[in-house]
Short mmCIF file of all heavy atoms in Angstrom, two decimals:
data_model
loop_
_atom_site.label_atom_id
_atom_site.label_comp_id
_atom_site.label_asym_id
_atom_site.label_seq_id
_atom_site.Cartn_x
_atom_site.Cartn_y
_atom_site.Cartn_z
N ASP A 26 2.57 -18.62 -2.42
CA ASP A 26 2.32 -17.65 -3.47
C ASP A 26 1.85 -18.40 -4.72
O ASP A 26 2.47 -19.34 -5.16
CB ASP A 26 3.60 -16.87 -3.76
CG ASP A 26 3.41 -15.80 -4.82
OD1 ASP A 26 2.37 -15.13 -4.80
OD2 ASP A 26 4.31 -15.67 -5.66
N VAL A 27 0.77 -17.95 -5.26
CA VAL A 27 0.20 -18.60 -6.44
C VAL A 27 0.23 -17.63 -7.61
O VAL A 27 -0.21 -16.51 -7.50
CB VAL A 27 -1.29 -19.00 -6.17
CG1 VAL A 27 -1.91 -19.61 -7.40
CG2 VAL A 27 -1.37 -19.95 -5.00
N ARG A 28 0.82 -18.07 -8.72
CA ARG A 28 0.76 -17.26 -9.95
C ARG A 28 -0.58 -17.58 -10.57
O ARG A 28 -0.88 -18.73 -10.90
CB ARG A 28 1.89 -17.64 -10.92
CG ARG A 28 3.24 -17.31 -10.37
CD ARG A 28 3.49 -15.83 -10.51
NE ARG A 28 4.73 -15.50 -9.84
CZ ARG A 28 5.12 -14.27 -9.60
NH1 ARG A 28 4.36 -13.27 -9.96
NH2 ARG A 28 6.25 -14.03 -8.99
N CYS A 29 -1.42 -16.57 -10.69
CA CYS A 29 -2.81 -16.80 -11.09
C CYS A 29 -3.09 -16.37 -12.51
O CYS A 29 -2.47 -15.47 -13.02
CB CYS A 29 -3.72 -16.02 -10.17
SG CYS A 29 -3.52 -16.39 -8.46
N HIS A 30 -4.03 -17.03 -13.11
CA HIS A 30 -4.58 -16.61 -14.38
C HIS A 30 -5.25 -15.27 -14.13
O HIS A 30 -5.87 -15.06 -13.10
CB HIS A 30 -5.59 -17.63 -14.88
CG HIS A 30 -6.11 -17.33 -16.24
ND1 HIS A 30 -7.17 -16.49 -16.45
CD2 HIS A 30 -5.69 -17.74 -17.45
CE1 HIS A 30 -7.39 -16.40 -17.74
NE2 HIS A 30 -6.51 -17.14 -18.37
N ILE A 31 -5.12 -14.34 -15.06
CA ILE A 31 -5.64 -12.98 -14.86
C ILE A 31 -7.12 -12.95 -14.51
O ILE A 31 -7.56 -12.09 -13.76
CB ILE A 31 -5.34 -12.10 -16.08
CG1 ILE A 31 -5.58 -10.64 -15.77
CG2 ILE A 31 -6.16 -12.48 -17.27
CD1 ILE A 31 -4.43 -9.74 -16.07
N ALA A 32 -7.89 -13.90 -14.99
CA ALA A 32 -9.32 -13.93 -14.68
C ALA A 32 -9.58 -14.32 -13.24
O ALA A 32 -10.63 -14.04 -12.69
CB ALA A 32 -10.02 -14.89 -15.63
N TYR A 33 -8.62 -14.98 -12.60
CA TYR A 33 -8.80 -15.42 -11.22
C TYR A 33 -8.53 -14.31 -10.22
O TYR A 33 -9.20 -14.21 -9.20
CB TYR A 33 -7.86 -16.61 -10.94
CG TYR A 33 -7.93 -17.14 -9.53
CD1 TYR A 33 -9.00 -17.91 -9.11
CD2 TYR A 33 -6.93 -16.84 -8.61
CE1 TYR A 33 -9.08 -18.39 -7.82
CE2 TYR A 33 -6.99 -17.31 -7.31
CZ TYR A 33 -8.07 -18.09 -6.92
OH TYR A 33 -8.12 -18.56 -5.65
N CYS A 34 -7.53 -13.47 -10.48
CA CYS A 34 -7.14 -12.42 -9.56
C CYS A 34 -8.09 -11.23 -9.59
O CYS A 34 -8.80 -11.03 -10.57
CB CYS A 34 -5.74 -11.90 -9.90
SG CYS A 34 -4.43 -13.07 -9.61
N VAL A 35 -8.05 -10.46 -8.51
CA VAL A 35 -8.78 -9.20 -8.49
C VAL A 35 -8.16 -8.29 -9.55
O VAL A 35 -7.02 -8.50 -9.94
CB VAL A 35 -8.73 -8.55 -7.09
CG1 VAL A 35 -9.52 -9.37 -6.09
CG2 VAL A 35 -7.32 -8.34 -6.62
N PRO A 36 -8.87 -7.26 -10.01
CA PRO A 36 -8.32 -6.38 -11.06
C PRO A 36 -6.95 -5.81 -10.69
O PRO A 36 -6.70 -5.41 -9.56
CB PRO A 36 -9.37 -5.27 -11.15
CG PRO A 36 -10.65 -5.91 -10.69
CD PRO A 36 -10.22 -6.88 -9.62
N ASN A 37 -6.05 -5.79 -11.69
CA ASN A 37 -4.70 -5.25 -11.58
C ASN A 37 -3.77 -6.06 -10.67
O ASN A 37 -2.68 -5.61 -10.35
CB ASN A 37 -4.72 -3.78 -11.14
CG ASN A 37 -5.47 -2.92 -12.12
OD1 ASN A 37 -5.10 -2.84 -13.28
ND2 ASN A 37 -6.52 -2.28 -11.68
N CYS A 38 -4.18 -7.22 -10.25
CA CYS A 38 -3.36 -8.08 -9.40
C CYS A 38 -2.57 -9.05 -10.28
O CYS A 38 -3.13 -9.72 -11.13
CB CYS A 38 -4.24 -8.83 -8.42
SG CYS A 38 -3.34 -9.81 -7.23
N LEU A 39 -1.26 -9.10 -10.08
CA LEU A 39 -0.41 -9.99 -10.88
C LEU A 39 -0.16 -11.32 -10.21
O LEU A 39 0.10 -12.32 -10.86
CB LEU A 39 0.94 -9.30 -11.13
CG LEU A 39 0.90 -8.00 -11.91
CD1 LEU A 39 2.30 -7.42 -12.03
CD2 LEU A 39 0.28 -8.22 -13.27
N SER A 40 -0.21 -11.34 -8.88
CA SER A 40 0.03 -12.57 -8.11
C SER A 40 -0.91 -12.56 -6.92
O SER A 40 -0.98 -11.58 -6.19
CB SER A 40 1.49 -12.60 -7.66
OG SER A 40 1.74 -13.74 -6.87
N CYS A 41 -1.67 -13.66 -6.76
CA CYS A 41 -2.65 -13.66 -5.69
C CYS A 41 -2.79 -15.04 -5.06
O CYS A 41 -2.36 -16.05 -5.63
CB CYS A 41 -3.99 -13.19 -6.19
SG CYS A 41 -4.66 -14.18 -7.55
N ALA A 42 -3.37 -15.06 -3.89
CA ALA A 42 -3.64 -16.32 -3.19
C ALA A 42 -5.12 -16.70 -3.33
O ALA A 42 -5.48 -17.85 -3.21
CB ALA A 42 -3.29 -16.19 -1.71
N SER A 43 -5.94 -15.69 -3.57
CA SER A 43 -7.38 -15.90 -3.73
C SER A 43 -7.95 -14.70 -4.47
O SER A 43 -7.22 -13.80 -4.85
CB SER A 43 -8.05 -16.05 -2.37
OG SER A 43 -8.02 -14.81 -1.68
N LEU A 44 -9.26 -14.69 -4.61
CA LEU A 44 -9.91 -13.57 -5.28
C LEU A 44 -9.78 -12.26 -4.50
O LEU A 44 -9.96 -11.19 -5.04
CB LEU A 44 -11.41 -13.87 -5.51
CG LEU A 44 -11.68 -14.94 -6.56
CD1 LEU A 44 -13.17 -15.28 -6.58
CD2 LEU A 44 -11.24 -14.48 -7.93
N THR A 45 -9.47 -12.35 -3.22
CA THR A 45 -9.40 -11.15 -2.39
C THR A 45 -8.04 -10.91 -1.75
O THR A 45 -7.87 -9.97 -0.97
CB THR A 45 -10.46 -11.21 -1.27
OG1 THR A 45 -10.21 -12.39 -0.48
CG2 THR A 45 -11.86 -11.25 -1.83
N THR A 46 -7.04 -11.74 -2.07
CA THR A 46 -5.70 -11.58 -1.47
C THR A 46 -4.66 -11.47 -2.56
O THR A 46 -4.29 -12.46 -3.18
CB THR A 46 -5.38 -12.76 -0.54
OG1 THR A 46 -6.40 -12.88 0.44
CG2 THR A 46 -4.03 -12.57 0.14
N CYS A 47 -4.17 -10.25 -2.77
CA CYS A 47 -3.19 -9.97 -3.80
C CYS A 47 -1.80 -9.80 -3.16
O CYS A 47 -1.68 -9.32 -2.04
CB CYS A 47 -3.57 -8.69 -4.53
SG CYS A 47 -2.55 -8.34 -5.96
N TYR A 48 -0.76 -10.22 -3.89
CA TYR A 48 0.62 -10.08 -3.42
C TYR A 48 1.45 -9.13 -4.27
O TYR A 48 2.48 -8.65 -3.83
CB TYR A 48 1.33 -11.43 -3.38
CG TYR A 48 0.76 -12.38 -2.37
CD1 TYR A 48 0.34 -13.63 -2.74
CD2 TYR A 48 0.64 -12.01 -1.04
CE1 TYR A 48 -0.18 -14.52 -1.81
CE2 TYR A 48 0.12 -12.89 -0.09
CZ TYR A 48 -0.28 -14.13 -0.49
OH TYR A 48 -0.81 -15.00 0.44
N ALA A 49 1.03 -8.88 -5.51
CA ALA A 49 1.74 -7.98 -6.41
C ALA A 49 0.74 -7.36 -7.38
O ALA A 49 -0.17 -8.04 -7.86
CB ALA A 49 2.82 -8.72 -7.18
N CYS A 50 0.92 -6.06 -7.67
CA CYS A 50 0.01 -5.33 -8.53
C CYS A 50 0.65 -4.94 -9.84
O CYS A 50 1.86 -4.82 -9.95
CB CYS A 50 -0.47 -4.06 -7.81
SG CYS A 50 -1.28 -4.36 -6.25
N GLY A 51 -0.19 -4.70 -10.82
CA GLY A 51 0.24 -4.20 -12.12
C GLY A 51 -0.67 -3.05 -12.52
O GLY A 51 -1.49 -2.60 -11.72
N GLY A 52 -0.53 -2.60 -13.73
CA GLY A 52 -1.41 -1.55 -14.22
C GLY A 52 -1.28 -0.22 -13.49
O GLY A 52 -2.23 0.53 -13.40
N GLY A 53 -0.09 0.03 -12.93
CA GLY A 53 0.14 1.29 -12.24
C GLY A 53 -0.48 1.36 -10.85
O GLY A 53 -0.54 2.42 -10.24
N LYS A 54 -0.97 0.24 -10.36
CA LYS A 54 -1.58 0.20 -9.02
C LYS A 54 -0.53 -0.15 -7.98
O LYS A 54 0.53 -0.65 -8.27
CB LYS A 54 -2.70 -0.83 -8.98
CG LYS A 54 -3.80 -0.61 -9.99
CD LYS A 54 -4.57 0.66 -9.70
CE LYS A 54 -5.70 0.82 -10.70
NZ LYS A 54 -6.45 2.02 -10.52
N ILE A 55 -0.86 0.15 -6.72
CA ILE A 55 0.03 -0.05 -5.58
C ILE A 55 -0.65 -1.00 -4.60
O ILE A 55 -1.84 -0.86 -4.31
CB ILE A 55 0.31 1.29 -4.87
CG1 ILE A 55 0.80 2.32 -5.87
CG2 ILE A 55 1.32 1.11 -3.74
CD1 ILE A 55 0.65 3.75 -5.38
N LEU A 56 0.12 -1.96 -4.07
CA LEU A 56 -0.44 -2.91 -3.12
C LEU A 56 -0.55 -2.31 -1.73
O LEU A 56 0.42 -1.79 -1.18
CB LEU A 56 0.44 -4.16 -3.06
CG LEU A 56 -0.04 -5.25 -2.10
CD1 LEU A 56 -1.36 -5.84 -2.55
CD2 LEU A 56 1.01 -6.33 -1.95
N ASN A 57 -1.75 -2.37 -1.17
CA ASN A 57 -1.96 -2.01 0.23
C ASN A 57 -1.69 -3.28 1.03
O ASN A 57 -2.45 -4.24 0.94
CB ASN A 57 -3.39 -1.52 0.45
CG ASN A 57 -3.65 -1.12 1.88
OD1 ASN A 57 -3.06 -1.66 2.81
ND2 ASN A 57 -4.57 -0.20 2.06
N PRO A 58 -0.60 -3.34 1.79
CA PRO A 58 -0.25 -4.58 2.50
C PRO A 58 -1.22 -4.95 3.61
O PRO A 58 -1.27 -6.09 4.03
CB PRO A 58 1.14 -4.30 3.06
CG PRO A 58 1.21 -2.83 3.19
CD PRO A 58 0.37 -2.27 2.07
N ASN A 59 -2.00 -3.98 4.07
CA ASN A 59 -2.98 -4.26 5.13
C ASN A 59 -4.21 -4.97 4.59
O ASN A 59 -4.74 -5.88 5.22
CB ASN A 59 -3.41 -2.97 5.84
CG ASN A 59 -2.26 -2.31 6.56
OD1 ASN A 59 -1.33 -2.97 7.00
ND2 ASN A 59 -2.31 -1.00 6.68
N THR A 60 -4.66 -4.55 3.40
CA THR A 60 -5.88 -5.13 2.83
C THR A 60 -5.59 -6.15 1.75
O THR A 60 -6.48 -6.89 1.34
CB THR A 60 -6.75 -4.02 2.21
OG1 THR A 60 -6.02 -3.38 1.17
CG2 THR A 60 -7.20 -3.02 3.26
N LYS A 61 -4.34 -6.19 1.24
CA LYS A 61 -3.92 -7.06 0.14
C LYS A 61 -4.72 -6.78 -1.13
O LYS A 61 -5.02 -7.67 -1.92
CB LYS A 61 -4.07 -8.54 0.52
CG LYS A 61 -3.32 -8.94 1.75
CD LYS A 61 -1.83 -8.98 1.50
CE LYS A 61 -1.10 -9.64 2.64
NZ LYS A 61 -0.26 -8.76 3.41
N ILE A 62 -5.04 -5.49 -1.34
CA ILE A 62 -5.78 -5.04 -2.51
C ILE A 62 -4.93 -4.01 -3.27
O ILE A 62 -4.23 -3.22 -2.67
CB ILE A 62 -7.13 -4.41 -2.10
CG1 ILE A 62 -8.04 -5.48 -1.48
CG2 ILE A 62 -7.83 -3.74 -3.26
CD1 ILE A 62 -9.32 -4.95 -0.90
N CYS A 63 -5.03 -4.02 -4.59
CA CYS A 63 -4.32 -3.05 -5.44
C CYS A 63 -5.12 -1.76 -5.47
O CYS A 63 -6.32 -1.77 -5.75
CB CYS A 63 -4.15 -3.60 -6.85
SG CYS A 63 -3.17 -5.10 -6.90
N GLU A 64 -4.45 -0.65 -5.17
CA GLU A 64 -5.13 0.64 -5.10
C GLU A 64 -4.42 1.66 -5.98
O GLU A 64 -3.27 1.48 -6.34
CB GLU A 64 -5.16 1.13 -3.66
CG GLU A 64 -5.90 0.15 -2.74
CD GLU A 64 -6.15 0.69 -1.37
OE1 GLU A 64 -6.19 1.92 -1.21
OE2 GLU A 64 -6.33 -0.11 -0.45
N THR A 65 -5.10 2.76 -6.27
CA THR A 65 -4.53 3.84 -7.07
C THR A 65 -3.54 4.65 -6.24
O THR A 65 -2.49 5.06 -6.73
CB THR A 65 -5.64 4.76 -7.60
OG1 THR A 65 -6.55 3.94 -8.35
CG2 THR A 65 -5.07 5.82 -8.51
N THR A 66 -3.88 4.90 -4.98
CA THR A 66 -3.03 5.63 -4.07
C THR A 66 -2.97 4.91 -2.72
O THR A 66 -3.86 4.11 -2.41
CB THR A 66 -3.55 7.07 -3.82
OG1 THR A 66 -4.86 7.00 -3.27
CG2 THR A 66 -3.56 7.88 -5.11
N CYS A 67 -1.97 5.21 -1.96
CA CYS A 67 -1.83 4.59 -0.64
C CYS A 67 -2.79 5.28 0.34
O CYS A 67 -3.06 6.47 0.20
CB CYS A 67 -0.40 4.75 -0.13
SG CYS A 67 0.79 3.80 -1.11
N PRO A 68 -3.27 4.55 1.33
CA PRO A 68 -4.16 5.15 2.33
C PRO A 68 -3.41 6.09 3.26
O PRO A 68 -2.18 6.08 3.32
CB PRO A 68 -4.71 3.94 3.08
CG PRO A 68 -3.66 2.90 2.95
CD PRO A 68 -3.04 3.12 1.59
N ARG A 69 -4.14 6.87 4.01
CA ARG A 69 -3.56 7.80 5.00
C ARG A 69 -2.67 7.00 5.95
O ARG A 69 -3.02 5.90 6.36
CB ARG A 69 -4.67 8.49 5.76
CG ARG A 69 -4.19 9.46 6.78
CD ARG A 69 -5.35 10.17 7.48
NE ARG A 69 -4.98 11.55 7.67
CZ ARG A 69 -5.30 12.56 6.87
NH1 ARG A 69 -6.04 12.34 5.83
NH2 ARG A 69 -4.90 13.77 7.12
N GLY A 70 -1.50 7.55 6.25
CA GLY A 70 -0.55 6.87 7.14
C GLY A 70 0.43 5.99 6.40
O GLY A 70 1.29 5.36 7.00
N MET A 71 0.30 5.95 5.05
CA MET A 71 1.21 5.17 4.21
C MET A 71 1.60 6.01 3.01
O MET A 71 0.93 6.99 2.67
CB MET A 71 0.56 3.87 3.77
CG MET A 71 0.14 2.98 4.93
SD MET A 71 -0.53 1.42 4.37
CE MET A 71 0.91 0.39 4.63
N TYR A 72 2.69 5.62 2.32
CA TYR A 72 3.13 6.35 1.13
C TYR A 72 3.63 5.36 0.10
O TYR A 72 3.95 4.21 0.39
CB TYR A 72 4.22 7.37 1.49
CG TYR A 72 5.55 6.74 1.86
CD1 TYR A 72 6.59 6.70 0.94
CD2 TYR A 72 5.76 6.19 3.11
CE1 TYR A 72 7.80 6.12 1.27
CE2 TYR A 72 6.97 5.60 3.46
CZ TYR A 72 8.00 5.59 2.53
OH TYR A 72 9.19 5.00 2.86
N ASP A 73 3.71 5.83 -1.15
CA ASP A 73 4.23 5.02 -2.25
C ASP A 73 5.74 5.19 -2.30
O ASP A 73 6.23 6.21 -2.75
CB ASP A 73 3.59 5.47 -3.56
CG ASP A 73 4.13 4.71 -4.76
OD1 ASP A 73 4.92 3.78 -4.60
OD2 ASP A 73 3.74 5.08 -5.89
N GLY A 74 6.46 4.20 -1.85
CA GLY A 74 7.92 4.26 -1.83
C GLY A 74 8.54 3.77 -3.12
O GLY A 74 9.71 3.41 -3.16
N SER A 75 7.76 3.75 -4.21
CA SER A 75 8.21 3.29 -5.53
C SER A 75 8.67 1.85 -5.52
O SER A 75 9.52 1.45 -6.30
CB SER A 75 9.31 4.20 -6.08
OG SER A 75 8.84 5.51 -6.22
N THR A 76 8.09 1.04 -4.62
CA THR A 76 8.40 -0.38 -4.54
C THR A 76 7.22 -1.21 -5.02
O THR A 76 7.32 -2.42 -5.08
CB THR A 76 8.73 -0.79 -3.10
OG1 THR A 76 7.58 -0.54 -2.28
CG2 THR A 76 9.92 -0.02 -2.55
N GLY A 77 6.11 -0.54 -5.33
CA GLY A 77 4.90 -1.24 -5.71
C GLY A 77 4.04 -1.65 -4.51
O GLY A 77 2.98 -2.22 -4.66
N VAL A 78 4.54 -1.31 -3.31
CA VAL A 78 3.83 -1.61 -2.07
C VAL A 78 3.77 -0.35 -1.22
O VAL A 78 4.77 0.36 -1.09
CB VAL A 78 4.55 -2.73 -1.28
CG1 VAL A 78 3.83 -3.03 0.03
CG2 VAL A 78 4.67 -4.00 -2.11
N CYS A 79 2.61 -0.07 -0.63
CA CYS A 79 2.50 1.07 0.28
C CYS A 79 3.33 0.79 1.53
O CYS A 79 3.32 -0.32 2.06
CB CYS A 79 1.04 1.28 0.68
SG CYS A 79 -0.02 1.77 -0.69
N LEU A 80 4.08 1.81 1.96
CA LEU A 80 4.93 1.70 3.14
C LEU A 80 4.41 2.61 4.24
O LEU A 80 3.80 3.64 3.95
CB LEU A 80 6.36 2.10 2.77
CG LEU A 80 7.00 1.30 1.63
CD1 LEU A 80 8.33 1.93 1.22
CD2 LEU A 80 7.19 -0.15 2.02
N LEU A 81 4.67 2.25 5.49
CA LEU A 81 4.20 3.03 6.63
C LEU A 81 4.94 4.36 6.77
O LEU A 81 6.16 4.41 6.63
CB LEU A 81 4.37 2.25 7.93
CG LEU A 81 3.40 1.10 8.16
CD1 LEU A 81 3.80 0.33 9.41
CD2 LEU A 81 1.98 1.62 8.28
N CYS A 82 4.19 5.41 7.11
CA CYS A 82 4.78 6.69 7.46
C CYS A 82 5.36 6.57 8.87
O CYS A 82 4.95 5.72 9.65
CB CYS A 82 3.71 7.79 7.46
SG CYS A 82 2.95 8.11 5.88
N ASP A 83 6.28 7.47 9.19
CA ASP A 83 6.80 7.57 10.53
C ASP A 83 5.64 7.83 11.50
O ASP A 83 4.68 8.50 11.13
CB ASP A 83 7.80 8.75 10.59
CG ASP A 83 8.54 8.82 11.88
OD1 ASP A 83 7.99 9.40 12.83
OD2 ASP A 83 9.67 8.30 11.94
N PRO A 84 5.69 7.29 12.71
CA PRO A 84 4.59 7.50 13.67
C PRO A 84 4.25 8.96 13.94
O PRO A 84 3.12 9.28 14.30
CB PRO A 84 5.08 6.82 14.95
CG PRO A 84 6.04 5.78 14.46
CD PRO A 84 6.71 6.39 13.25
N LYS A 85 5.19 9.87 13.75
CA LYS A 85 4.90 11.30 13.98
C LYS A 85 4.10 11.91 12.83
O LYS A 85 3.59 13.01 12.95
CB LYS A 85 6.18 12.09 14.22
CG LYS A 85 7.04 12.25 13.00
CD LYS A 85 8.29 13.06 13.30
CE LYS A 85 9.12 13.16 12.02
NZ LYS A 85 10.39 13.78 12.24
N CYS A 86 4.01 11.20 11.70
CA CYS A 86 3.27 11.69 10.53
C CYS A 86 1.87 11.10 10.47
O CYS A 86 1.70 9.89 10.54
CB CYS A 86 3.99 11.32 9.24
SG CYS A 86 5.66 11.96 9.06
N ASP A 87 0.89 11.98 10.31
CA ASP A 87 -0.47 11.52 10.05
C ASP A 87 -0.57 11.06 8.60
O ASP A 87 -1.26 10.11 8.28
CB ASP A 87 -1.45 12.65 10.34
CG ASP A 87 -2.90 12.21 10.16
OD1 ASP A 87 -3.26 11.14 10.68
OD2 ASP A 87 -3.64 12.94 9.50
N SER A 88 0.14 11.76 7.72
CA SER A 88 0.26 11.38 6.32
C SER A 88 1.63 11.84 5.82
O SER A 88 2.22 12.77 6.37
CB SER A 88 -0.86 12.00 5.48
OG SER A 88 -0.80 13.41 5.51
N CYS A 89 2.15 11.13 4.83
CA CYS A 89 3.46 11.47 4.27
C CYS A 89 3.44 11.19 2.78
O CYS A 89 2.56 10.52 2.28
CB CYS A 89 4.58 10.69 4.98
SG CYS A 89 4.43 8.89 4.87
N THR A 90 4.46 11.71 2.05
CA THR A 90 4.45 11.56 0.60
C THR A 90 5.62 10.72 0.10
O THR A 90 5.44 9.54 -0.17
CB THR A 90 4.45 12.93 -0.11
OG1 THR A 90 5.47 13.74 0.48
CG2 THR A 90 3.13 13.63 0.00
N THR A 91 6.76 11.27 -0.03
CA THR A 91 7.87 10.58 -0.71
C THR A 91 8.75 9.71 0.19
O THR A 91 9.41 8.82 -0.30
CB THR A 91 8.77 11.61 -1.43
OG1 THR A 91 9.21 12.58 -0.47
CG2 THR A 91 8.00 12.32 -2.54
N THR A 92 8.78 10.01 1.47
CA THR A 92 9.53 9.17 2.43
C THR A 92 8.70 9.07 3.71
O THR A 92 7.78 9.84 3.93
CB THR A 92 10.91 9.78 2.78
OG1 THR A 92 10.72 10.96 3.56
CG2 THR A 92 11.74 10.07 1.52
N ALA A 93 9.10 8.15 4.56
CA ALA A 93 8.37 7.93 5.82
C ALA A 93 8.40 9.16 6.71
O ALA A 93 7.48 9.37 7.50
CB ALA A 93 8.97 6.74 6.55
N THR A 94 9.43 9.97 6.60
CA THR A 94 9.56 11.13 7.48
C THR A 94 9.24 12.46 6.82
O THR A 94 9.40 13.51 7.42
CB THR A 94 11.01 11.19 8.06
OG1 THR A 94 11.94 11.22 6.98
CG2 THR A 94 11.27 9.99 8.96
N THR A 95 8.78 12.44 5.56
CA THR A 95 8.34 13.66 4.90
C THR A 95 6.85 13.82 5.17
O THR A 95 6.01 13.37 4.38
CB THR A 95 8.61 13.60 3.37
OG1 THR A 95 9.98 13.31 3.15
CG2 THR A 95 8.26 14.92 2.71
N CYS A 96 6.53 14.44 6.30
CA CYS A 96 5.15 14.55 6.74
C CYS A 96 4.39 15.61 5.96
O CYS A 96 4.87 16.72 5.78
CB CYS A 96 5.08 14.90 8.23
SG CYS A 96 5.86 13.72 9.32
N ASP A 97 3.19 15.26 5.53
CA ASP A 97 2.25 16.26 4.99
C ASP A 97 1.50 16.87 6.17
O ASP A 97 1.21 18.05 6.18
CB ASP A 97 1.25 15.61 4.04
CG ASP A 97 1.91 15.07 2.80
OD1 ASP A 97 2.88 15.70 2.32
OD2 ASP A 97 1.48 14.01 2.32
N ASN A 98 1.18 16.03 7.15
CA ASN A 98 0.51 16.43 8.37
C ASN A 98 1.12 15.64 9.51
O ASN A 98 1.42 14.46 9.36
CB ASN A 98 -0.99 16.13 8.30
CG ASN A 98 -1.67 16.89 7.20
OD1 ASN A 98 -1.73 18.10 7.22
ND2 ASN A 98 -2.20 16.16 6.24
N CYS A 99 1.27 16.28 10.66
CA CYS A 99 1.79 15.60 11.84
C CYS A 99 0.66 15.04 12.68
O CYS A 99 -0.46 15.55 12.63
CB CYS A 99 2.63 16.56 12.68
SG CYS A 99 4.11 17.14 11.83
N THR A 100 0.97 14.01 13.46
CA THR A 100 -0.01 13.49 14.40
C THR A 100 -0.11 14.44 15.58
O THR A 100 0.72 15.32 15.76
CB THR A 100 0.38 12.09 14.90
OG1 THR A 100 1.65 12.18 15.55
CG2 THR A 100 0.45 11.09 13.76
N ASP A 101 -1.09 14.24 16.42
CA ASP A 101 -1.27 15.10 17.58
C ASP A 101 -0.35 14.68 18.74
O ASP A 101 -0.21 15.41 19.69
CB ASP A 101 -2.72 15.05 18.05
CG ASP A 101 -3.64 15.74 17.07
OD1 ASP A 101 -3.17 16.64 16.36
OD2 ASP A 101 -4.82 15.39 17.02
N SER A 102 0.25 13.49 18.63
CA SER A 102 1.12 13.04 19.71
C SER A 102 2.50 13.68 19.55
O SER A 102 2.90 14.08 18.48
CB SER A 102 1.22 11.52 19.71
OG SER A 102 1.75 11.06 18.48
N GLY A 103 3.23 13.78 20.58
CA GLY A 103 4.56 14.42 20.56
C GLY A 103 5.36 13.84 21.67
O GLY A 103 5.02 12.79 22.18
N PRO A 104 6.39 14.45 22.13
CA PRO A 104 6.94 15.71 21.65
C PRO A 104 7.75 15.56 20.37
O PRO A 104 8.17 14.46 20.05
CB PRO A 104 7.83 16.15 22.80
CG PRO A 104 8.30 14.86 23.40
CD PRO A 104 7.16 13.89 23.23
N TYR A 105 8.00 16.67 19.67
CA TYR A 105 8.81 16.67 18.45
C TYR A 105 10.00 17.58 18.60
O TYR A 105 9.98 18.59 19.17
CB TYR A 105 7.98 17.11 17.25
CG TYR A 105 6.82 16.23 17.03
CD1 TYR A 105 5.54 16.69 17.18
CD2 TYR A 105 6.99 14.88 16.75
CE1 TYR A 105 4.45 15.86 17.02
CE2 TYR A 105 5.91 14.05 16.57
CZ TYR A 105 4.64 14.55 16.71
OH TYR A 105 3.58 13.71 16.55
#
């Protein structure tokens, strides 16, 4: 883990390994652990667990909001 000068990191990144690999975000952004990029919202299949990092939704959820099991939409797989 490298503590970087703000000019070295991608925008809103507080700690990074390179220009494209972020480990912690600032400025109200959330880290997407798959891409290592700071984003405004988590991608589909992940949610903002108020940890600063997007967390995975439960496999039965296509998308979720406040917890892994609070599905906005369910996947087509089952049974449920």
Side-chain angles (χ1 to χ4, degrees):
D26 181 42
V27 177
R28 295 283 174 191
C29 304
H30 185 275
I31 193 126
Y33 178 76
C34 292
V35 292
N37 299 301
C38 185
L39 298 178
S40 177
C41 59
S43 69
L44 290 174
T45 58
T46 304
C47 187
Y48 294 125
C50 302
K54 302 294 183 181
I55 307 160
L56 180 66
N57 180 330
N59 296 331
T60 61
K61 303 288 191 247
I62 294 174
C63 298
E64 301 189 23
T65 304
T66 60
C67 293
R69 181 177 219 97
M71 301 184 101
Y72 70 101
D73 177 5
S75 299
T76 62
V78 179
C79 294
L80 303 171
L81 286 173
C82 296
D83 188 276
K85 70 180 179 186
C86 300
D87 182 48
S88 62
C89 60
T90 48
T91 56
T92 70
T94 56
T95 305
C96 301
D97 295 324
N98 297 296
C99 296
T100 60
D101 290 334
S102 60
Y105 301 115

